[in-house]
């Protein structure tokens, strides 16, 4: 059936001609996260819980984890669950998030104490940080600092990341100064790039001196962000603070240290969300569960979603009777970029896409007929400049390729 222009509307989409803010981090849709914290705060127990596996090595002594463990976790999505039922899809394919369990840090890691540089290099390899702090007392579980004090632990970890970034920037600035001093007949664009790097790194260094992370500054210029992204600095990575509490505190959503944690975070890590969880409680839920789905009382779905939010990751969906699938992209990507996640040829030969907003199908029940949506003007045609939004349902049209 051929549709009229009234039935298949052209969506009034935002254009890429409007400048979008540059983001810190790698320009990738496959971003990773690492579990970071002092030794013996529950990192490996959390890793086992979130991955529903026996990976990791929980133990009552420092450095039980030496090499980073890697796992992929399913991204919970009520949208995907709804769409799979709505389209009567034979398969449901969720997105995944790759997570690494990194060895415990100790005070002085930036001077190579404990696992030192190896630990910090492992953090450099990930895109986002789950920072776990212990906020429960248990005489049977050793704390490497001798007492339970979550704010002190947050300070120790952040100080080590700051000190390592300062060392890295000092070395980088020295090299740039030499290069600029002997710039000779270098092209102007190369000189301009080096000068921009020098300026960005100097501003970043001043922030670090004040005990602030690079990502804390909200008015970075885009060219400075691009320059800093070349250096993959530790404090330019987003973080989610996970407060490991006992089962009672988690279920009541209270803890004696919570106010002080919030106060410190507001001043020194304002980009970070704070989530209460209980590694022991999550382990108990895993032992009781028979399915791969998270229990409704689990904190893990929220934890996964908060990391994706911190990494500026969003989801779009492709749906049909064969499969309903959730795809991951970074914010501010155009429709052809999203098509390229499915197959690179789709990006190269992109023509347009049919778009359904999730809100327009959120309250519908199966059986579902897309023709009814079209008759109501709820199916939009979008082109190359459309910026994909979280929850979009897309059908791509590409040259010499079947619609997917």
């Amino acid at each position: 059936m051929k549709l009229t222009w009234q039935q298949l509307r052209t969506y009034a989409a935002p254009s890429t001609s409007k400048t979008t803010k540059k983001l810190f981090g790698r320009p990738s849709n496959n971003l990773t996260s690492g579990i970071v914290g002092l030794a013996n705060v529950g990192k490996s127990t959390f890793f086992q819980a979130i991955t529903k596996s026996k990976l990791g090595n929980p133990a009552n002594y420092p450095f039980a984890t030496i090499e980073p463990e890697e796992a992929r976790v399913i991204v919970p999505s009520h949208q995907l669950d709804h769409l799979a039922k709505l389209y009567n899809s034979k398969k449901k394919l969720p997105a995944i998030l790759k997570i690494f369990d990194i060895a415990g840090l100790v005070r002085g890691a930036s001077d190579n104490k404990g696992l030192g540089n190896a630990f910090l290099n492992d953090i450099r390899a990930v895109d986002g940080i789950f920072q776990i702090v212990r906020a429960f007392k248990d005489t049977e579980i050793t704390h490497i600092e001798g007492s339970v004090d979550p704010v002190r632990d947050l300070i120790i970890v952040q100080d080590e990341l700051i000190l390592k970034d300062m060392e890295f920037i000092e070395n980088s600035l020295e090299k740039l100064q030499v290069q600029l001093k002997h710039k000779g007949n270098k092209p102007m664009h190369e000189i301009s790039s080096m000068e921009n790097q020098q300026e960005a790194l100097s501003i970043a260094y001043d922030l670090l001196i004040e005990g602030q992370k690079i990502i804390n500054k909200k008015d970075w210029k885009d060219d400075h962000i691009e320059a800093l992204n070349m250096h993959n600095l530790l404090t330019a990575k987003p973080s989610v603070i996970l407060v490991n509490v006992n089962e009672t505190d988690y279920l009541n959503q209270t803890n004696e240290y919570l106010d002080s944690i919030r106060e410190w975070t507001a001043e020194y890590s304002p980009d970070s969300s704070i989530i209460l969880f209980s590694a022991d409680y999550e382990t108990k839920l895993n032992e009781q569960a028979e399915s791969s789905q998270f229990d409704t009382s689990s904190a893990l779905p929220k934890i996964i979603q908060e990391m994706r939010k911190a990494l500026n990751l969003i989801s779009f969906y492709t749906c049909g009777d064969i499969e309903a699938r959730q795809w991951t992209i970074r914010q501010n990507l155009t429709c052809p970029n999203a098509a390229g996640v499915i197959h690179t040829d789709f990006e190269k030969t992109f023509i347009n896409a049919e778009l359904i907003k999730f809100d327009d199908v959120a309250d519908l029940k199966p059986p579902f007929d897309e023709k009814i949506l079209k008759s109501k003007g709820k199916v939009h045609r979008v082109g190359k400049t459309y910026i994909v939004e979280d929850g979009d349902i897309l059908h791509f049209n590409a040259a010499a390729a079947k619609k997917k």
Side-chain angles (χ1 to χ4, degrees):
M1 180 179 74
K2 188 173 181 180
L3 299 171
T4 65
W5 69 268
Q6 291 98 337
Q7 291 171 317
L8 188 57
R9 295 179 180 179
T10 300
Y11 190 61
S15 169
T16 50
S17 62
K18 294 181 180 180
T19 305
T20 54
K21 182 69 178 175
K22 294 288 183 183
L23 301 174
F24 276 111
R26 294 187 301 130
S28 170
N29 303 310
N30 298 308
L31 302 181
T32 63
S33 56
I35 303 170
V36 174
L38 298 186
N40 286 14
V41 295
K43 297 189 313 303
S44 293
T45 305
F46 166 71
F47 184 72
Q48 287 190 355
I50 200 168
T51 59
K52 293 184 177 289
S53 72
K54 293 300 181 182
L55 293 170
N57 184 21
N60 187 23
Y61 54 86
F63 312 124
T65 301
I66 303 298
E67 296 296 326
E69 296 274 10
E70 173 190 344
R72 298 183 177 196
V73 301
I74 291 173
V75 174
S77 172
H78 73 277
Q79 294 177 326
L80 179 64
D81 295 339
H82 177 70
L83 292 171
K85 291 176 183 176
L86 198 62
Y87 281 84
N88 194 25
S89 306
K90 294 177 182 177
K91 292 191 297 183
K92 182 175 67 175
L93 300 174
I96 60 98
L97 177 67
K98 189 182 292 185
I99 296 179
F100 291 87
D101 182 19
I102 297 173
L105 177 145
V106 296
R107 192 190 298 269
S110 56
D111 290 327
N112 209 25
K113 292 181 181 177
L115 297 178
N117 290 327
F119 164 87
L120 294 167
N121 286 335
D122 291 338
I123 299 178
R124 198 177 297 281
V126 301
D127 302 290
I129 297 171
F130 283 121
Q131 186 171 347
I132 296 184
V133 291
R134 176 177 162 182
F136 66 90
K137 295 173 181 176
D138 188 331
T139 56
E140 294 184 3
I141 301 178
T142 306
H143 193 295
I144 198 166
E145 288 289 319
S147 63
V148 175
D149 185 343
V151 171
R152 176 204 59 210
D153 296 352
L154 286 166
I155 292 170
I156 290 173
V157 171
Q158 185 147 308
D159 282 353
E160 295 303 325
L161 301 184
I162 285 174
L163 288 169
K164 200 63 183 177
D165 272 356
M166 288 175 65
E167 177 189 324
F168 185 90
I169 290 175
E170 286 168 358
N171 293 334
S172 298
L173 286 172
E174 285 181 11
K175 292 176 184 177
L176 283 169
Q177 287 169 0
V178 171
Q179 291 172 335
L180 287 169
K181 186 176 181 180
H182 302 91
K183 55 190 176 185
N185 295 321
K186 282 189 173 74
M188 280 303 299
H189 69 89
E190 285 188 24
I191 296 172
S192 178
S193 175
M194 287 189 290
E195 289 174 342
N196 181 56
Q197 281 191 62
Q198 187 179 50
E199 184 177 47
L201 289 169
S202 296
I203 294 171
Y205 192 84
D206 290 341
L207 275 174
L208 297 171
I209 287 286
E210 295 172 2
Q212 295 287 338
K213 297 190 298 181
I214 291 167
I215 201 171
N216 290 356
K217 181 177 165 64
K218 300 305 178 187
D219 57 349
W220 281 109
K221 295 195 298 185
D222 283 349
D223 56 351
H224 284 167
I225 291 176
E226 288 182 352
L228 294 172
N229 279 343
M230 296 170 60
H231 298 280
N232 193 20
L233 295 161
L234 300 174
T235 62
K237 300 178 187 294
S239 61
V240 175
I241 295 173
L242 304 181
V243 183
N244 189 8
V245 299
N246 61 40
E247 180 177 335
T248 301
D249 281 1
Y250 169 66
L251 294 175
N252 292 328
Q253 286 295 291
T254 59
N255 182 263
E256 62 181 298
Y257 302 105
L258 191 53
D259 287 343
S260 59
I261 291 170
R262 285 173 175 159
E263 185 179 341
W264 181 88
T265 302
E267 185 170 358
Y268 294 103
S269 190
D271 75 299
S272 302
S273 56
I274 301 169
I275 302 177
L276 283 187
F277 86 105
S278 170
D280 286 345
Y281 180 69
E282 297 295 345
T283 300
K284 184 186 296 185
L285 291 180
N286 274 356
E287 291 170 350
Q288 296 170 350
E290 295 181 358
S291 72
S292 61
Q293 299 298 314
F294 291 115
D295 187 280
T296 54
S297 63
S298 171
L300 299 181
K302 181 180 180 181
I303 288 171
I304 294 169
Q305 293 291 3
E306 281 298 315
M307 177 52 72
R308 278 169 55 87
K309 181 180 176 182
L311 290 169
N312 297 294
L313 296 176
I314 62 172
S315 296
F316 73 90
Y317 300 88
T318 54
C319 301
D321 57 354
I322 296 176
E323 69 175 38
R325 185 160 184 166
Q326 178 187 13
W327 303 87
T328 298
I329 57 171
R330 287 196 98 189
Q331 289 178 357
N332 302 334
L333 290 190
T334 62
C335 219
N337 298 147
V341 173
I342 298 175
H343 197 288
T344 53
D345 287 349
F346 285 9
E347 182 172 6
K348 296 173 185 174
T349 60
F350 176 87
I351 299 174
N352 58 33
E354 292 172 22
L355 163 71
I356 299 173
K357 306 302 287 186
F358 182 82
D359 285 349
D360 290 331
V361 299
D363 296 326
L364 298 183
K365 305 243 187 300
F368 167 65
D369 188 349
E370 196 170 291
K371 292 177 183 177
I372 296 175
L373 275 187
K374 290 179 180 177
S375 68
K376 294 180 177 179
K378 298 297 185 181
V379 179
H380 316 280
R381 179 173 292 159
V382 294
K384 294 181 179 181
T385 61
Y386 175 66
I387 304 295
V388 177
E389 297 180 347
D390 192 41
D392 282 354
I393 304 158
L394 293 164
H395 293 263
F396 297 106
N397 297 307
K402 294 180 180 179
K403 183 165 62 175
K404 186 170 176 84

